[in-house]
Amino acid sequence: MTVAHILGFSRIGARRQLKFALERYWRGEAGDAELVATGRELRRAHWALQRAAGLDYVTVGDFAWYDHVLQLIAHLGCLPARFGFRAGALTLREYFSLARGTDAQPAMEMTKWFDTNYHYLVPEWSADTRADGGVSWLIDEAREAIADGHPVKAALVGPLTLLHLGKARGAAVDLLALLEHLVPAYRRLLARLKDLGVEWVQLDEPVLGLDLEQRWVDAFRPVYTALAPAAPRILLATYFESVAARRELFLSLPISGLHLDLVRAPGQLETLIESIPGQCVLSLGVVDGRNVWRTDLDAALATLRRAQARAGERLWVSASCSLLHVPVDLGLERDLDLEIAGWLAFGAQKLEEISALKRALALGDAAIAPALAASRRARDTRRASTRTHSAFVASRLAALTGEHARRASAYPARSRRQRERLGLPLLPATTIGSFAQTGRIRHARAAFRRGAIGFLDYLEAMRAEIRFAIAKQEALGLDVLVHGEPERGDMVEYFAGQLAGFAVTTEGWVQSYGSRCVRPPVIYGDVHRPEPMTVEWARYAQSLTRHPVKGMLTGPVTMLQWSFARDDGSRETAAMQIALALREEVLDLEKAGIAIIQIDEPAFREGLPLRRRDRARYLEWAARAFRVAASGVGDATQIHSHMCYAEFNDILPAIAALDADVITIETSRSAMELIDAFGAFSYPNEIGPGIYDIHSPRVPDAGTMLSLIERAARVIPVERLWVNPDCGLKTRGWEETEVALANMVAAARRMRELARDTGAMGGGGPVHISQEERVRDAVAARDP
């Protein structure tokens, strides 16, 4: 009989219960008992939801207090040694210290989970890494599910993926050599699950979709041969890419099942279905686990029936990947347009789709007639809707030429004009964009949304916050200011709410990391800008100060990546539509007198295809989309961009191809590792490596920040360096923000003094400081 299951489910709760419980705990307003109770309630509710939908197994192990990779290393006992924690006695407070840092240690590095906007904590590997056992939280959760009467399938990141996603620290270490310690730890954990009566364990190995060195591929057979005797039946889960090239590997593995992502890679089924051993389950992910569109049940059934003809009773039905990446329940939406809502399915609805597909395979289409009718109606009305296509937008795209993606002059000429206009000191100090989203700000926005205050009252409330932010920055001595973004709840959603072709939700929350949740908008149609979006806010902020105030925009690739994109057209087309809309906004900001415009692209690396063969094409159109948005301005207008929490080393030519005058990047968690790559590449424009981690409550002192600036100055010429935090400051309170920024400004000023005293040989040669700059710096230091 066909089995219905999922690879994982959202852990935050439909109403973000986990987020709020975590933040109460971190503020000291709740203890371990309250947090643990919230986690237990969420797990039980999600298991009950899966069973009520008709799934045959509940998935255990997808829950995590902060991140599932961090949770796994806590189970195995391979914690970073620098924290000094005893793995077997790890407390919740110590667990969170790994993710958020302590006074003595920075937090673990954080980066994107493959090509998603979910962030995981990067394991730290060294020659001394051991995995001698850790917490028993997973075992406790399996017991809970069994006690509730549920058939259990446990889910864990597999050993090769875990190892591959980590980073070697300290002396050179062969990561594969660490399998000597990891494999026994996995065996012990899997054996405990088996002893509990857990029948299946899902080991996620999405790394199989990457371009692995052969020795990594060769490691799978001995590793799984060692795991199989101790483990429950193993379902090897792959997703995000085709694994058709691993056909021979799968034939050699002692596994009981294989999961394939047929949303991302439908063509792999024909290659692999004949390669599955006769006793092996074939789990097919035909419901999209990463997007919110309803499944075309007719198309999914056609695929499943072809597979059923060969696999028979060994066929399982699932989503393509974990439902971690989609919101929990469409039924909670209050204000979403009814026609658009009819085209969508969130996590709870996807459970129903999976169950319906299973029933149809067993009982025929008549058994799910209402579901099929709804699926067909959604498919047909979406195709026919006049809201999805615009002749106006199509004509604008057709008129694009190469000139639209090219600045009038090269960077050296622009740089001279910008220095003349801006008059900034050496090592200008700035922030990335946002400041604290205080209770006062949230209250005013919420009151305006529900009609409790009028527009003029809302406008004055936001202007008061802008005045406050500008005054704070001037007092701290920052050189380039921001308005603080009080009017924005989210950097993507804010713009999506003002662009035609986007829909925003009220309860479509997904986890980005820890307690950070976002509501990705839905791109349902062709995109254009009906009217200016940020110009009046920027104009007002600039009127308050003689310092330059940056105009702040979210770039076209990030708008695309951090939304639920259309599945009926190309990503390139959608990115170009957004780029043209942003180009209009950039030009309007310039006309309003804004001299610096920042177009953030933190998701630029995230959109990179997992396979090298597909990357050149993506990088070409992604960089072109940015340039289309940015290139209409004059030479004296300075274009900035910001990127964070991803591995950029392998795409530096594409970052240079953006041709931003200044790029700010996240580097502090990795101790400035990335700056070496920019130096080796001879990155040609200006760069601001982040010198403190805004995602951690730890506030570094000025000396620590100075050492990072000095580190950067050894590889990048000082005249091309900026000083800034890693990211926006919306998640940090003003009290800690003021201390951190004061330390940052002090570090920048001290580095200017060192540059003047020593001639500051940067990576590109000596720094030349004009008499005008010396006078300006002296005045700034005396009268901030």
Side-chain angles (χ1 to χ4, degrees):
M1 178 177 166
T2 300
V3 167
H5 75 116
I6 56 171
L7 274 59
F9 198 71
S10 171
R11 61 184 69 121
I12 61 170
R15 301 286 191 185
R16 295 180 291 162
Q17 297 96 313
L18 182 59
K19 168 190 172 66
F20 298 126
L22 286 171
E23 291 172 355
R24 284 194 302 273
Y25 183 83
W26 294 337
R27 291 192 300 265
E29 299 168 3
D32 285 18
E34 181 179 326
L35 181 60
V36 168
T38 299
R40 184 183 303 114
E41 290 166 7
L42 285 171
R43 290 191 297 271
R44 296 186 70 185
H46 296 160
W47 295 333
L49 194 63
Q50 292 167 50
R51 292 292 283 160
L55 270 59
D56 295 283
Y57 291 98
V58 301
T59 300
V60 172
D62 53 352
F63 179 84
W65 295 115
Y66 197 98
D67 162 54
H68 62 277
V69 176
L70 177 61
Q71 202 95 344
L72 178 55
I73 65 172
H75 292 144
L76 299 174
C78 45
L79 308 177
R82 59 188 173 90
F83 286 88
F85 297 151
R86 289 174 50 231
L90 187 73
T91 66
L92 278 172
R93 295 202 179 276
E94 290 172 336
Y95 170 93
F96 291 124
S97 294
L98 297 167
R100 307 178 77 229
T102 68
D103 290 340
Q105 290 293 337
M108 292 173 65
E109 187 175 347
M110 187 166 64
T111 195
K112 302 292 180 69
W113 177 251
F114 293 85
D115 57 351
T116 76
N117 187 33
Y118 177 78
H119 301 65
Y120 73 95
L121 277 300
V122 179
E124 298 178 11
W125 307 127
S126 73
D128 298 325
T129 294
R130 297 294 180 268
D132 297 324
V135 296
S136 60
W137 300 338
L138 175 63
I139 305 303
D140 296 339
E141 291 164 18
R143 286 197 183 101
E144 289 174 10
I146 292 169
D148 284 351
H150 300 309
V152 170
K153 171 175 64 69
L156 297 168
V157 175
L160 276 303
T161 293
L162 179 69
L163 197 58
H164 195 273
L165 295 182
K167 272 192 175 180
R169 300 291 185 188
V173 57
D174 178 6
L175 294 186
L176 288 174
L178 298 180
L179 288 170
E180 174 187 352
H181 306 291
L182 276 184
V183 169
Y186 267 92
R187 279 177 56 91
R188 289 190 295 270
L189 185 59
L190 296 175
R192 293 185 69 187
L193 290 169
K194 188 175 183 179
D195 289 344
L196 280 180
V198 173
E199 183 182 356
W200 282 90
V201 63
Q202 167 193 313
L203 294 180
D204 290 0
E205 295 284 11
V207 75
L208 282 166
L210 305 183
D211 296 303
L212 290 177
E213 296 177 36
Q214 188 58 43
R215 66 195 195 100
W216 281 85
V217 178
D218 293 341
F220 272 83
R221 184 174 181 183
V223 165
Y224 277 78
T225 298
L227 296 180
R233 301 177 71 187
I234 295 174
L235 175 69
L236 181 66
T238 68
Y239 41 82
F240 299 157
E241 249 297 351
S242 171
V243 291
R246 311 298 182 200
R247 177 178 177 275
E248 296 302 320
L249 172 65
F250 297 139
L251 285 170
S252 72
L253 296 180
I255 56 177
S256 298
L258 177 67
H259 174 82
L260 303 176
D261 179 348
L262 296 191
V263 174
R264 275 294 187 90
Q268 64 181 320
L269 178 60
E270 290 305 313
T271 300
L272 291 171
I273 195 165
E274 301 296 347
S275 305
I276 306 300
Q279 76 285 359
C280 199
V281 159
L282 181 61
S283 170
L284 299 183
V286 293
V287 170
D288 196 341
R290 288 186 55 173
N291 212 330
V292 293
W293 303 106
R294 272 183 180 264
T295 302
D296 183 337
L297 295 182
D298 287 309
L301 280 170
T303 297
L304 291 169
R305 283 178 172 138
R306 287 196 302 272
Q308 188 181 45
R310 303 187 195 180
E313 296 296 307
R314 295 181 292 118
L315 182 64
W316 287 20
V317 183
S318 187
S320 57
C321 61
S322 172
L323 298 179
L324 168 71
H325 307 289
V326 296
V328 175
D329 190 356
L330 183 65
L332 298 178
E333 288 301 317
R334 301 183 300 273
D335 303 322
L336 191 60
D337 178 275
L338 289 178
E339 182 181 29
I340 295 170
W343 302 338
L344 306 180
F346 290 0
Q349 289 70 45
K350 290 178 185 290
L351 298 180
E352 299 287 349
E353 290 180 332
I354 293 167
S355 180
L357 290 168
K358 173 196 166 180
R359 293 198 307 277
L361 290 174
L363 303 173
D365 289 1
I368 64 162
L372 282 171
S375 172
R376 291 164 184 160
R377 185 166 55 251
R379 178 191 64 204
D380 296 342
T381 58
R382 187 175 166 213
R383 286 176 180 170
S385 176
T386 58
R387 305 171 71 179
T388 59
H389 299 286
S390 164
F392 164 71
V393 174
S395 67
R396 295 185 69 204
L397 279 181
L400 271 179
T401 68
E403 291 301 311
H404 289 93
R406 189 178 304 120
R407 295 288 294 271
S409 302
Y411 165 75
R414 300 198 309 264
S415 177
R416 287 191 294 271
R417 294 287 308 279
Q418 291 161 16
R419 288 174 187 269
E420 291 167 2
R421 179 183 184 184
L422 296 171
L424 296 173
L426 191 70
L427 296 160
T430 188
T431 66
I432 302 304
S434 60
F435 282 119
Q437 293 279 301
T438 63
R440 186 174 61 241
I441 291 172
R442 290 193 295 270
H443 175 77
R445 281 206 308 259
F448 179 58
R449 281 197 301 268
R450 66 175 182 268
I453 61 173
F455 174 73
L456 291 180
D457 289 333
Y458 170 73
L459 178 64
E460 176 51 31
M462 294 300 102
R463 284 185 167 184
E465 297 298 336
I466 293 171
R467 292 194 296 271
F468 178 82
I470 293 292
K472 285 286 188 185
Q473 292 170 86
E474 288 187 323
L476 287 163
L478 290 162
D479 303 298
V480 174
L481 313 187
V482 297
H483 79 290
E485 305 177 13
E487 78 286 5
R488 308 181 194 184
D490 176 82
M491 64 183 289
V492 172
E493 185 181 47
Y494 174 78
F495 293 97
Q498 301 181 75
L499 291 170
F502 278 89
V504 296
T505 68
T506 56
E507 300 298 334
W509 298 101
V510 296
Q511 184 184 28
S512 179
Y513 62 86
S515 69
R516 169 75 170 143
C517 301
V518 295
R519 281 183 302 201
V522 179
I523 306 176
Y524 68 84
D526 290 343
V527 176
H528 65 93
R529 185 193 76 148
E531 60 186 9
M533 301 178 286
T534 67
V535 175
E536 291 308 314
W537 298 116
R539 194 198 310 268
Y540 178 72
Q542 187 61 78
S543 74
L544 301 172
T545 179
R546 63 181 177 82
H547 294 280
V549 177
K550 293 191 282 188
M552 302 298 304
L553 304 175
T554 302
V557 176
T558 298
M559 287 293 298
L560 174 66
Q561 284 296 126
W562 289 1
S563 300
F564 292 118
R566 298 172 69 168
D567 61 356
D568 60 349
S570 75
R571 294 166 66 221
E572 177 181 355
T573 297
M576 291 304 166
Q577 292 175 357
I578 299 167
L580 281 172
L582 292 174
R583 183 185 180 92
E584 293 178 329
E585 188 74 9
V586 168
L587 291 174
D588 283 345
L589 284 167
E590 183 182 50
K591 289 175 187 174
I594 305 303
I596 302 177
I597 301 169
Q598 183 169 308
I599 306 171
D600 289 342
E601 285 290 20
F604 189 81
R605 174 63 171 79
E606 177 187 312
L608 190 70
L610 298 179
R611 287 286 174 84
R612 283 190 289 270
R613 68 183 181 226
D614 303 320
R615 292 179 176 178
R617 176 65 184 144
Y618 162 76
L619 291 170
E620 187 279 324
W621 66 252
R624 180 159 44 90
F626 179 90
R627 294 196 307 273
V628 165
S631 293
V633 297
D635 287 353
T637 298
Q638 191 171 74
I639 296 293
H640 289 220
S641 190
H642 172 66
M643 297 182 177
C644 57
Y645 298 101
E647 297 296 329
F648 298 112
N649 305 46
D650 53 350
I651 61 165
L652 289 176
I655 294 176
L658 299 179
D659 198 25
D661 298 302
V662 181
I663 183 171
T664 54
I665 54 170
E666 173 270 322
T667 55
S668 66
R669 281 201 178 196
S670 60
M672 286 277 173
E673 283 180 2
L674 184 57
I675 204 68
D676 291 330
F678 275 86
F681 175 71
S682 297
Y683 182 74
N685 300 6
E686 296 167 49
I687 185 168
I691 62 169
Y692 82 90
D693 176 19
I694 67 88
H695 293 98
S696 169
R698 177 178 181 266
V699 176
D701 58 32
T704 300
M705 294 191 195
L706 177 61
S707 67
L708 290 175
I709 300 173
E710 290 176 315
R711 168 104 160 73
R714 287 195 285 271
V715 292
I716 301 290
V718 176
E719 68 268 24
R720 290 199 280 111
L721 277 177
W722 286 61
V723 177
N724 46 263
D726 266 349
C727 204
L729 292 158
K730 67 180 293 184
T731 61
R732 303 266 64 91
W734 268 109
E735 183 177 356
E736 62 183 292
T737 292
E738 287 189 72
V739 175
L741 292 180
N743 291 346
M744 187 186 82
V745 170
R749 290 177 173 172
R750 177 58 181 149
M751 189 64 193
R752 290 173 198 161
E753 294 172 0
L754 293 173
R756 284 193 294 267
D757 293 344
T758 66
M761 295 291 290
V767 176
H768 302 289
I769 305 174
S770 68
Q771 180 63 28
E772 180 184 355
E773 285 175 309
R774 292 176 188 271
V775 172
R776 187 169 56 242
D777 283 1
V779 171
R782 186 175 62 250
D783 184 18

